Amino acid sequence: MDLFSEPRRLPLKDADVVYHPRPDIGISPDELFQTLRREVIWEQHSIRIEDRIIPQPRLSSWYGDVVHTYSTLANVLQPHPFIPILDALRKRLESITGSRFNSMLANLYRDGGDKIGWHSDNEPELGPEPVIASISLGAERRFDLRRRDDHSKVARIFLEHGSLLIMGGGTQKNWQHGIARRTESVGERINLTFRLTDKTKRRAIP
Ligand SMILES: O=C(O)CCC(=O)C(=O)O
Ligand SMILES: [Fe+2]
């Protein structure tokens, strides 16, 4: 048995985070990376901080049937319909996790300068204990976690090419996560987070 390919649960209190280094996602990670690099409609999204509009330090794209009105975004984002390769992956992840997914956020970290700041995926439309399935492709980056009520409690895990991280239970309620900037040279990384979004719970579109 290859111990390094076994799924493992991170020892975090009040959270449920499981890391699968090499899940069977029905396609090679290299092929998936190349196809998504080419076929995903990569967009520059911006956030609003007070009266300033700031481009996010990464490219992104929403897929699925749900219009997103996340509080910090400067614009209402129209999702793209799932393309066949993403729909196949969505179904595969549903069978691995036993959860349903109807939307997906793709992020492209172009180099070590791209990042995502501390946040929880706790938007109302995700519900109280969302299950989020996160696929990593390309360059390995460090995924940091910290408790929301005590920032000195931290955990970190390196997300390998082709890996799957499943966050469930109280993870979003009790912990934040992020990917820090790196100073050394780092190649491109694609991350896909599959979610189940309830349209009836979303914020009103301004
Ligand atoms: O890139 C990652 O691994 C995390 C992305 C993330 O946290 C998000 O899109 O909400
Ligand atoms: Fe997140």
Side-chain angles (χ1 to χ4, degrees):
M1 187 175 68
D2 174 4
L3 280 179
F4 296 104
S5 65
E6 288 298 297
R8 60 187 173 92
R9 174 164 276 108
L10 306 197
L12 300 180
K13 204 164 161 278
D14 306 321
D16 185 11
V17 182
V18 177
Y19 180 66
H20 294 245
R22 285 185 270 290
D24 177 7
I25 52 174
I27 179 171
S28 85
D30 288 357
E31 190 185 341
L32 185 58
F33 179 93
Q34 304 292 345
T35 309
L36 296 178
R37 183 70 185 82
R38 215 173 41 237
E39 293 190 8
V40 166
I41 302 159
W42 295 108
E43 300 161 354
Q44 173 70 70
H45 298 162
S46 296
I47 53 168
R48 185 190 299 276
I49 297 179
E50 291 166 8
D51 55 357
R52 289 190 307 150
I53 306 273
I54 297 170
Q56 289 183 327
R58 60 190 177 277
L59 302 183
S60 309
S61 194
W62 280 103
Y63 282 79
D65 58 356
V66 185
V67 175
H68 288 271
T69 54
Y70 281 15
S71 48
T72 52
L73 287 168
N75 322 88
V76 173
L77 296 175
Q78 295 297 333
H80 306 288
F82 273 117
I83 52 177
I85 193 169
L86 288 174
D87 205 43
L89 184 57
R90 180 180 70 79
K91 293 197 179 103
R92 196 69 212 108
L93 293 174
E94 287 185 341
S95 95
I96 294 174
T97 62
S99 298
R100 273 193 52 226
F101 304 111
N102 65 355
S103 64
M104 188 275 281
L105 173 63
N107 286 308
L108 173 62
Y109 301 83
R110 294 158 290 189
D111 57 29
D114 276 1
K115 57 166 229 166
I116 189 163
W118 288 114
H119 69 282
S120 304
D121 295 307
N122 58 356
E123 296 295 326
E125 57 260 54
L126 294 173
E129 295 207 328
V131 175
I132 295 177
S134 169
I135 293 280
S136 291
L137 301 162
E140 196 172 297
R141 295 287 296 264
R142 198 185 74 213
F143 186 81
D144 296 324
L145 291 132
R146 72 178 184 193
R147 266 198 87 100
R148 285 166 69 123
D149 60 1
D150 180 356
H151 291 177
S152 72
K153 295 222 165 47
V154 293
R156 48 181 52 173
I157 179 166
F158 286 90
L159 300 179
E160 297 158 276
H161 177 49
S163 69
L164 166 65
L165 188 77
I166 306 168
M167 296 185 273
T171 310
Q172 307 304 329
K173 188 165 153 247
N174 301 308
W175 293 77
Q176 294 179 314
H177 56 269
I179 303 256
R181 195 166 268 148
R182 304 300 295 251
T183 48
E184 71 271 29
S185 128
V186 179
E188 289 184 334
R189 169 175 183 263
I190 291 175
N191 173 256
L192 311 173
T193 50
F194 286 81
R195 302 132 184 261
L196 179 63
T197 307
D198 179 349
K199 283 190 251 191
T200 64
K201 294 212 185 92
R202 75 179 179 213
R203 279 196 186 85
I205 295 177

